[in-house]
Amino acid sequence: MRVNAYAALERGQELVAWNYESQGLKPDEVLLKVLACGLCHSDVHMIDNDWKLTAYPLVPGHEVVGEILEKGSSFNHLKVGQRVGVGWQRSACLHCDDCLRGNENLCSENTGLITHGYGGFADRVVVDGRFCFPLEDDLPTEFAGPLMCGGITVYSGLRYAGMSSGQRIGIIGVGGLGHLAVQFASKLGNTVTVFTTSDEKARQAARLGAHDAIMVRRGGLAESPKKPFHIILSTVPTSIPCELYLNLLDSDGTLCFVGVPSEPVEVPLFPLLAKRRRVMASPIGGRSMMRAMLETATRYGIKPTIERFPLSEVNTAITKLRHNSVRYRAVLSP
Ligand code: NAP
Ligand code: ZN
């Protein structure tokens, strides 16, 4: 079967219409008709080969919502015609200790949708049915995509950083991930401060649930927070001044990276040592966490703010994302 996609043929280039022949389905595979697909900054990192993981032609797109057109012989729990979401993770071994603990995202053999195959900027996509997540009818197609990577990443990151309720939580960067993090943290009963480079986002943050906004200027922060944070989550795709943020944490506080700068992160020891603070990083989330995230989003009415584009205008969306002018997640429809 011919799949009509958009692909980067070389590093950093605009995507072009491109097609490929899809082979027959393996028992664990499912063929989806793509209904919508979010554009994550990781797609841009992959187009630019920032992480030295990219094989070209690259078909980006890993916040897929699709309808099952065909399924491999292994599945009874999925039905043809059913609507499912698929995120960054293509597959995992499912028998190692990490997988058996429900941490399939930590599996040493895990594969990515767009690092080990072609992604969702296409009319069709073949995925592993074990990493397809059935969607409830009351979750609209265009809102589901951004939850599949952006949503799970911030929810899982915050959970493993120790988020409960009644805490002070800082979110650095109000983009696709950041604007969802603000909602999860605030709806679950925490006091949220955003750190943003945008005056406009600082003003809008309250509507997303933030209690406070602090401007990030070239020379540092425009003001100091009044109280220390239990958790600070960085969603920024470039380097951040680590020491500055570590010093804003309470004793035993955690700085958690979900944003992935290409350069190594420099962590000074003394701000950690003095207050027993921690630094961690968190990749996407396992399957049980994905279900918990979707349930939490539904229960608390958490949904992305999106800008819609036809897939044929994918380059316009990518340019907007590169210029940090998407509010707050671009979603493409074939
Ligand atoms: P995004 O929509 O572009 O948001 C990133 C935000 O970071 C921007 O809105 C901006 O917020 C801030 N920022 C500060 N300096 C920036 C700069 N030089 N360039 C762009 N943004 C800058 O990106 P996203 O889709 O949320 O992804 C954010 C990061 O998370 C990326 O590195 C992505 O690869 C990573 N990610 C990681 C995982 C994981 O598993 N850990 C999963 C998905 C994505 P302000 O305007 O508020 O300053
Ligand atoms: Zn992503």
Side-chain angles (χ1 to χ4, degrees), residues 12 25 37 47 83 88 95 120-121 128 139 161 171 175-176 209 211 223 243 268 274-275 286 292 299 306 314 324 329:
L25 293 184
C37 188
I47 292 168
R83 206 174 49 121
W88 173 268
H95 53 72
F121 291 172
D128 186 323
L139 180 57
I171 307 293
H211 303 81
E223 58 185 301
E243 185 162 8
K275 297 269 184 188
R299 185 174 317 139
I306 62 164
V314 62
N324 192 16
R329 194 57 132 190

Side-chain angles (χ1 to χ4, degrees), residues 39-42 45 51 62 149-150 153 172-178 195-198 201 235-238 257-261 282-284 321 324 328-329:
L39 169 64
C40 173
H41 210 110
S42 299
H45 286 300
W51 303 329
H62 60 273
C149 178
T153 299
I172 315 173
V174 188
L177 266 60
F195 296 90
T196 177
T197 57
S198 154
K201 289 183 190 178
T235 74
V236 175
T238 53
F257 283 87
V258 287
V260 189
S282 182
I284 47 169
L321 182 59
N324 192 16
Y328 283 91
R329 194 57 132 190

Side-chain angles (χ1 to χ4, degrees), residues 6-285:
Y6 278 82
L9 303 182
E10 284 178 57
R11 179 177 183 174
Q13 300 230 320
E14 288 210 329
L15 306 195
V16 292
W18 182 77
N19 61 61
Y20 65 93
E21 196 63 35
S22 165
Q23 309 304 321
L25 293 184
K26 298 191 188 113
D28 289 335
E29 287 180 336
V30 164
L31 172 67
L32 300 182
K33 173 185 174 189
V34 177
L35 303 174
C37 188
L39 169 64
C40 173
H41 210 110
S42 299
D43 293 311
V44 175
H45 286 300
M46 285 294 292
I47 292 168
D48 294 346
N49 198 16
D50 283 343
W51 303 329
K52 312 283 180 276
L53 291 173
T54 310
Y56 299 94
L58 165 77
V59 177
H62 60 273
E63 290 187 340
V64 183
V65 179
E67 179 191 320
I68 298 180
L69 292 179
E70 268 179 60
K71 58 186 182 116
S73 52
S74 311
F75 299 110
N76 293 321
H77 73 289
L78 296 172
K79 294 187 190 65
V80 169
Q82 191 173 7
R83 206 174 49 121
V84 295
V86 181
W88 173 268
Q89 188 155 10
R90 181 175 283 278
S91 197
C93 80
L94 299 185
H95 53 72
C96 71
D97 286 347
D98 281 316
C99 285
L100 294 175
R101 288 186 200 112
N103 290 323
E104 298 89 353
N105 54 323
L106 308 185
C107 172
S108 307
E109 291 174 29
N110 84 60
T111 57
L113 193 66
I114 64 171
T115 52
H116 294 76
Y118 299 128
F121 291 172
D123 57 355
R124 305 276 186 273
V125 63
V126 175
V127 296
D128 186 323
R130 298 167 302 180
F131 287 83
C132 279
F133 299 87
L135 300 172
E136 300 289 339
D137 291 343
D138 53 3
L139 180 57
T141 292
E142 62 272 28
F143 293 151
L147 295 175
M148 303 311 299
C149 178
I152 181 60
T153 299
V154 298
Y155 182 76
S156 182
L158 285 167
R159 281 290 187 212
Y160 281 103
M163 177 179 71
S164 53
S165 60
Q167 295 166 321
R168 289 181 298 279
I169 296 186
I171 307 293
I172 315 173
V174 188
L177 266 60
H179 93 290
L180 289 168
V182 170
Q183 295 183 61
F184 279 109
S186 62
K187 293 267 167 105
L188 292 173
N190 298 289
T191 303
V192 176
T193 299
V194 297
F195 296 90
T196 177
T197 57
S198 154
D199 290 298
E200 171 218 339
K201 289 183 190 178
R203 286 192 298 275
Q204 290 174 353
R207 272 197 273 142
L208 296 166
H211 303 81
D212 211 351
I214 294 182
M215 293 304 303
V216 179
R217 307 278 186 219
R218 204 155 273 164
L221 301 180
E223 58 185 301
S224 300
K226 291 171 199 74
K227 290 193 169 173
F229 295 94
H230 298 94
I231 297 168
I232 298 179
L233 185 79
S234 173
T235 74
V236 175
T238 53
S239 300
I240 58 163
C242 225
E243 185 162 8
L244 185 154
Y245 289 107
L246 285 175
N247 282 320
L248 302 184
L249 287 171
D250 208 346
S251 301
D252 292 312
T254 300
L255 173 61
C256 177
F257 283 87
V258 287
V260 189
S262 319
E263 317 77 40
V265 173
E266 258 184 49
V267 180
L269 185 67
F270 271 91
L272 296 179
L273 191 66
K275 297 269 184 188
R276 208 165 51 203
R277 296 164 172 139
R278 279 176 287 263
V279 177
M280 63 174 279
S282 182
I284 47 169

